[in-house]
Amino acid sequence: MRHFYLKTRLQIKAALCKQEEIAEYYQALIPLITKPVADIPLMAFDLEMTGLDSQFDQILSIGLIPITAGVLEVAKAKHLLVKIVGSVGNSATIHGIVDQQLAQAVSAKQAMDWFLTQTKGHVLVAHHAPLDLCFLKAEMIRSYHQSLAFVAIDTMAIERKRLLRKHDVIKEGTLRLDACRQRYNLPVYAGHNASVDALACGELLLAQMASIAGNEKLNLADLLG
């Protein structure tokens, strides 16, 4: 039922969309909805931003890594720096990106064109996906004058459900990416780099899928929030 609703929703959005790039993005997603997750091309991604408010803060960098047939394609990982209006300010202490690094960066519009091209025909994967998606949607509106309904698996939401089923108390910090990875004995990576965090998120998803289903095939609806 969930598959039918999502597929119908995408079909309607594709039919009503006036932007060709976005309509094609929806059309590429439609045939994926009814496939097992193991057969769906996935794209783990992460953003670094100047802050946490999508209406005022800006995207600084985007990291992508594809997941094909349950394998992280590390050799195909990509990272893009994005120009901003003004300075990175004190946010540099978090993500390590300074103003000089953005001199050769692409514009926000070019970044959105690139993101659509790279992720077309993929279901997105992110940790705390709603935050990143808010920034993408806000930038899509500025770039295309139209929002975009992304389809994304949220590894944080998956972990929250798993812990609640076990009747675990969810304490502050329990759902952070590094804390989630520790529960699956995944290696520790330096955080706040879009490429590294995309890799870390992709690894976490594969570990979660193995924990949830073992060798059984999962449907997309099993992982969507």
Side-chain angles (χ1 to χ4, degrees):
M1 190 62 166
R2 179 73 181 274
H3 286 161
F4 176 78
Y5 168 77
L6 182 54
K7 187 173 182 177
T8 302
R9 181 166 167 254
L10 290 172
Q11 289 170 331
I12 292 172
K13 285 185 173 295
L16 297 178
C17 185
K18 297 179 181 179
Q19 292 282 355
E20 184 178 353
E21 299 94 330
I22 297 178
E24 290 177 353
Y25 193 90
Y26 287 138
Q27 289 164 354
L29 280 172
I30 291 168
L32 305 180
I33 301 304
T34 55
K35 294 183 178 180
V37 177
D39 299 333
I40 296 174
L42 305 175
M43 186 70 75
F45 81 99
D46 184 71
L47 309 179
E48 293 298 330
M49 299 87 75
T50 58
L52 299 177
D53 189 331
S54 61
Q55 298 305 310
F56 298 98
D57 294 308
Q58 301 170 76
I59 298 172
L60 287 166
S61 68
I62 306 172
L64 300 175
I65 181 165
I67 305 172
T68 305
V71 176
L72 277 157
E73 299 192 81
V74 179
K76 295 183 180 180
K78 296 185 179 180
H79 184 258
L80 188 73
L81 290 174
V82 186
K83 285 182 181 177
I84 62 169
V85 177
S87 170
V88 300
N90 292 333
S91 69
T93 60
I94 303 298
H95 47 67
I97 299 171
V98 296
D99 292 334
Q100 292 90 326
Q101 290 175 269
L102 300 180
Q104 303 301 317
V106 303
S107 69
K109 173 62 166 61
Q110 289 173 317
M112 292 303 98
D113 291 342
W114 177 84
F115 187 86
L116 287 182
T117 299
Q118 295 297 321
T119 64
K120 182 179 177 181
H122 294 75
V123 169
L124 301 176
V125 180
H127 195 73
H128 194 11
L131 175 63
D132 294 81
L133 294 180
C134 277
F135 274 85
L136 288 174
K137 289 175 182 178
E139 196 54 61
M140 285 292 171
I141 291 173
R142 287 189 285 267
S143 297
Y144 291 96
H145 308 292
Q146 181 176 335
S147 184
L148 199 157
F150 294 101
V151 178
I153 297 168
D154 183 2
T155 51
M156 178 184 282
I158 292 172
E159 195 65 10
R160 181 187 293 110
K161 287 181 181 178
R162 191 182 77 86
L163 293 176
L164 289 174
R165 283 195 205 100
K166 294 172 61 179
H167 304 291
D168 285 354
V169 175
I170 299 179
K171 300 177 182 178
E172 183 177 354
T174 301
L175 295 175
R176 291 174 62 90
L177 180 57
D178 56 350
C180 293
R181 287 174 57 82
Q182 287 175 18
R183 286 190 286 275
Y184 296 90
N185 298 313
L186 294 170
V188 176
Y189 294 146
H192 297 298
N193 174 284
S195 295
V196 174
D197 285 348
L199 172 62
C201 175
E203 288 179 341
L204 174 59
L205 175 66
L206 295 180
Q208 289 173 324
M209 289 171 61
S211 176
I212 293 169
N215 294 323
E216 298 295 323
K217 286 196 173 183
L218 289 168
N219 294 317
L220 187 58
D222 297 323
L223 300 178
L224 292 177

